[in-house]
Amino acid sequence: MGAFITVVLAALVTGIAVAPASVTADPAWSSAVDLSAAGQSAYGPQVAMSTDGRYQTITWQRSNGSNYIIQARTSSDYGATWSTAVDLSGTGANATEPQVAMSSDGRYQTITWQRSNGSNDIIQASTSSDYGATWATAVDLSATGANALYPQIAMSSDGRYQTITWYRYNGSKDIVQSRTSSNYGASWATALDQSATLQDAYEPQVAVSSDGQYQTITWYRYNGSKDIVQSRTSSNYGASWATALDQSATLQHAYEPQVAVSSDGRYQTITWKRSNGSNTIIQSRTSSDYGTTWSTATDLSVTGQNADIPRVAMSSDGRYQTITWRRSNGSNTIIQASTSSDYGTTWGAAADLSDTGQTARNPQVAMSSDGRYQTITWYRSNGSNYIIQARTSSDYGTTWSTAAEPSATGQNALDPQIAMSSDGRYQTITWYRSNGTNTIVQASTWANPAAETSSTTARATFRFVLADGTECTVISPQVVIVGTMVTLPTADANCRTMPGSTVAGWTIPTPPGSTEYGSPTTPFGPGLSVRVVDSQTFTLVPFEPILTFVYDANVAAADSCTSNNVENTTATGRRNHVWVPRHDVTIARFPTRAACTPPGHTLTGWNTRGDGTGTSYRLDETLPSTWATDSVNERTLFAVWK
């Protein structure tokens, strides 16, 4: 078959050589830079990064002397320099708890937060479609009249599909809700209740597949006796959701759920803390069928002491997963982690990452798309102040570097957050730290020399072409690094068959009749992450704004057939073409005449197969509405005669 690639699916990742475990080098982080202005306190930073690390955005809440305002700064040079801080929320009332998500190329970004309207807290959001250079006016997502809190956001790799979730009081109970956008955050669907209304539900988290098709929201909810972790999944871009599932057992309380999803959505892991009657234990469950069914819950932390604040990260193919948490050792709280290299089926013994003797808190984890590079960060007392620390692995979480300290000593630094480029080369940690008068948001970056060195070992070329072989020169060719994960061009990539067309998918050469991933039957989704093995040519599957219909009179060439003088009839006189804009599909109708009529016969309808065994349609019947949205651009219908 020639050159090939390995796609991020379990069935297709066999045969990949994994480097043996080795001692991980101690990473060097840049000197911390101040992002928020001095003079007032800033808290709660969050960070997002494009897959190549070039575009980065950090957001936080900062007092203006009267209220807290959501601000953001963006870097377009891998975190080397940062734009001027931008106010995103309005003045006059407190806005807090910002969260940020970014498309894989950095172009589309959305920040969400909660803000008081004078009576209640409302979930709001602002979007950017120019790499964070400018931001749209904030829009209200939750209804007024009651408090809505704790927004969380996830986004497809092309930025088209976005989901924001929160919990809101309905006058009786707190309910988890969500809203989705299918147009890059330009508009949002009606809010949906995710949790049942009879009991309180809190602290939702959301994750989506690379193409946005598969989405999972998890939360914890009181069942009348205990707090239970639950989840719901969507397989149609957040348009509808499956019935809520209980993830944790019902006999004890469970809290603090977190979720991660593989690039294709197939592998999903939810982790939480749950009481065993004496202590809280970190547990997890994994799905290998897009969230339909889940494994038995696994205990990750050891019993005997409390463990909490779990966080999870997953490689693009779902094979490598790491969960980190905080656990008491009887004297102090220690950061620990457990890793899986078999899609969450089994987990290694918990490893201590922070030193004993002082308390460490609030772990966060990030992972490269292939899972090789992982970094966990937290804050820990040095006996006088809290310091940001981080440890990095370059062997899939097998070993970890010595703890680095990106923040300066002398004052407290708290609540770190981390983002990493897909190859692990670029990493940014942000936190807030006292300057003796106020708390300031700071950040430190790291350009991973190991990732850079490994990137030079072997290169390949990806080409992107139309069906006729014409190369899309705006995006092709691309030089890629063997062994790394690469994101395929997204839906709005400049590879078009006609004005207004978009990318519905990509195919690669496969055997005739194949249904494997990458075949015409099952193309790669736009924005999907794939692992580079060799050079490859990808053929566009377009999503065209105008549909082509071929109406075949279904009469053999040797048989007589009288012309009906139908427009756009082919030279043979046996077929005619009709073009219908997608937005007109619901008003267009099947024709009442074929290109020609065989003597003595009457046209009675149309069928998708020439032998009449396909789907039948009546004359003058409205075209199926689903044809306006599916990826098929051309259809052939055959005349049915009597």
Side-chain angles (χ1 to χ4, degrees):
M1 195 174 79
F4 65 96
I5 63 170
T6 299
V7 185
V8 290
L9 287 179
L12 300 177
V13 297
T14 56
I16 297 175
V18 177
S22 60
V23 176
T24 302
D26 185 9
W29 293 82
S30 68
S31 297
V33 296
D34 291 347
L35 294 180
S36 64
Q40 297 289 344
S41 289
Y43 304 94
Q46 298 287 328
V47 59
M49 183 183 294
S50 60
T51 55
D52 62 0
R54 177 178 179 180
Y55 295 99
Q56 305 183 24
T57 292
I58 296 178
T59 182
W60 61 85
Q61 65 190 58
R62 179 182 182 272
S63 174
N64 63 1
S66 301
N67 305 108
Y68 284 106
I69 307 297
I70 304 302
Q71 296 185 316
R73 293 181 73 175
T74 298
S75 174
S76 59
D77 55 8
Y78 305 92
T81 62
W82 296 84
S83 66
T84 304
V86 176
D87 290 347
L88 298 180
S89 62
T91 59
N94 286 325
T96 59
E97 306 294 335
Q99 297 288 326
V100 58
M102 182 184 295
S103 61
S104 61
D105 61 1
R107 178 178 177 182
Y108 297 99
Q109 305 183 25
T110 295
I111 296 176
T112 183
W113 60 85
Q114 63 193 49
R115 180 180 182 272
S116 174
N117 63 2
S119 301
N120 305 107
D121 283 323
I122 307 297
I123 305 302
Q124 297 186 315
S126 175
T127 59
S128 173
S129 58
D130 56 7
Y131 305 91
T134 61
W135 294 84
T137 303
V139 296
D140 291 347
L141 295 181
S142 63
T144 59
N147 285 326
L149 307 170
Y150 201 77
Q152 300 290 319
I153 182 171
M155 182 185 295
S156 61
S157 62
D158 63 359
R160 178 176 180 181
Y161 297 99
Q162 304 183 24
T163 292
I164 296 177
T165 183
W166 61 85
Y167 66 90
R168 180 181 181 274
Y169 188 64
N170 67 358
S172 175
K173 303 294 180 182
D174 285 300
I175 307 299
V176 172
Q177 297 184 314
S178 69
R179 293 184 73 173
T180 59
S181 173
S182 59
N183 57 2
Y184 307 91
S187 61
W188 297 83
T190 304
L192 298 176
D193 288 348
Q194 294 289 351
S195 63
T197 57
L198 296 180
Q199 298 290 350
D200 290 314
Y202 303 100
E203 296 185 8
Q205 297 285 333
V206 59
V208 306
S209 61
S210 179
D211 61 1
Q213 179 176 356
Y214 298 99
Q215 306 188 15
T216 293
I217 296 177
T218 183
W219 62 85
Y220 71 89
R221 178 182 180 272
Y222 188 64
N223 67 358
S225 174
K226 304 293 181 183
D227 288 299
I228 307 299
V229 171
Q230 297 185 314
S231 69
R232 292 183 74 179
T233 58
S234 172
S235 59
N236 58 359
Y237 305 91
S240 60
W241 296 79
T243 303
L245 299 176
D246 288 349
Q247 293 289 351
S248 63
T250 58
L251 296 180
Q252 298 290 345
H253 290 292
Y255 309 93
E256 299 178 0
Q258 298 283 320
V259 60
V261 171
S262 63
S263 179
D264 63 356
R266 177 177 179 180
Y267 296 98
Q268 305 186 17
T269 291
I270 296 177
T271 183
W272 60 86
K273 74 169 183 183
R274 180 182 181 271
S275 174
N276 64 1
S278 301
N279 308 109
T280 54
I281 307 297
I282 304 303
Q283 297 185 315
S284 71
R285 294 181 73 181
T286 298
S287 173
S288 59
D289 56 7
Y290 305 91
T292 304
T293 62
W294 295 80
S295 66
T296 303
T298 300
D299 290 347
L300 298 180
S301 64
V302 178
T303 60
Q305 297 290 343
N306 288 325
D308 60 5
I309 318 178
R311 297 291 186 265
V312 60
M314 181 184 293
S315 61
S316 291
D317 60 3
R319 178 178 180 180
Y320 297 100
Q321 304 182 25
T322 292
I323 295 176
T324 183
W325 60 86
R326 175 185 71 170
R327 181 181 182 274
S328 174
N329 64 1
S331 301
N332 307 109
T333 53
I334 307 298
I335 305 304
Q336 297 185 317
S338 176
T339 60
S340 172
S341 59
D342 56 7
Y343 305 92
T345 304
T346 61
W347 293 84
D352 289 348
L353 295 183
S354 64
D355 292 334
T356 59
Q358 297 289 344
T359 290
R361 299 175 179 173
N362 195 27
Q364 301 290 330
V365 59
M367 183 182 295
S368 61
S369 60
D370 63 359
R372 177 178 180 182
Y373 297 102
Q374 305 182 23
T375 294
I376 296 176
T377 183
W378 61 86
Y379 68 90
R380 178 182 181 274
S381 174
N382 63 2
S384 301
N385 305 108
Y386 285 108
I387 307 298
I388 305 302
Q389 295 188 317
R391 294 182 71 176
T392 297
S393 175
S394 60
D395 54 11
Y396 305 91
T398 305
T399 63
W400 296 85
S401 68
T402 305
E405 296 183 351
S407 67
T409 59
Q411 298 287 346
N412 286 326
L414 305 172
D415 291 346
Q417 297 287 330
I418 184 170
M420 182 184 295
S421 61
S422 63
D423 60 2
R425 180 177 178 183
Y426 297 100
Q427 304 183 28
T428 293
I429 297 177
T430 183
W431 62 86
Y432 66 91
R433 178 182 182 273
S434 174
N435 63 2
T437 305
N438 307 111
T439 54
I440 307 298
V441 171
Q442 297 184 316
S444 175
T445 59
W446 178 42
N448 184 349
E452 183 175 4
T453 299
S454 64
S455 297
T456 63
T457 55
R459 297 178 184 272
T461 301
F462 278 7
R463 297 186 181 277
F464 301 93
V465 301
L466 303 179
D468 62 3
T470 302
E471 189 161 11
C472 301
T473 56
V474 174
I475 62 170
S476 181
Q478 293 182 13
V479 177
V480 293
I481 307 303
V482 173
T484 64
M485 304 297 292
V486 172
T487 300
L488 297 180
T490 54
D492 61 347
N494 196 347
C495 187
R496 299 185 175 95
T497 54
M498 65 174 63
S501 69
T502 58
V503 176
W506 301 97
T507 64
I508 58 174
T510 55
S514 172
T515 59
E516 67 185 71
Y517 216 35
S519 68
T521 303
T522 314
F524 301 132
L528 182 71
S529 293
V530 297
R531 192 188 308 276
V532 181
V533 174
D534 204 342
S535 296
Q536 185 57 267
T537 296
F538 297 84
T539 300
L540 172 73
V541 179
F543 185 84
E544 296 175 342
I546 298 176
L547 301 179
T548 299
F549 294 93
V550 180
Y551 290 98
D552 191 315
N554 207 13
V555 178
D559 294 337
S560 176
C561 196
T562 303
S563 173
N564 289 320
N565 296 316
V566 175
E567 290 185 349
N568 303 310
T569 298
T570 61
T572 64
R574 297 300 200 262
R575 286 184 164 196
N576 67 288
H577 290 79
V578 175
W579 293 272
V580 178
R582 286 184 183 270
H583 58 74
D584 288 340
V585 163
T586 56
I587 61 174
R589 296 177 178 276
F590 288 97
T592 57
R593 293 187 302 163
C596 61
T597 299
H601 290 77
T602 301
L603 181 68
T604 61
W606 300 92
N607 196 279
T608 55
R609 295 178 61 90
D611 60 5
T613 60
T615 303
S616 295
Y617 300 98
R618 300 186 305 274
L619 301 180
D620 205 35
E621 178 184 354
T622 303
L623 302 184
S625 60
T626 56
W627 289 4
T629 55
D630 68 27
S631 59
V632 178
N633 299 297
E634 181 175 315
R635 299 175 187 272
T636 299
L637 286 303
F638 296 89
V640 179
W641 304 96
K642 71 172 183 179

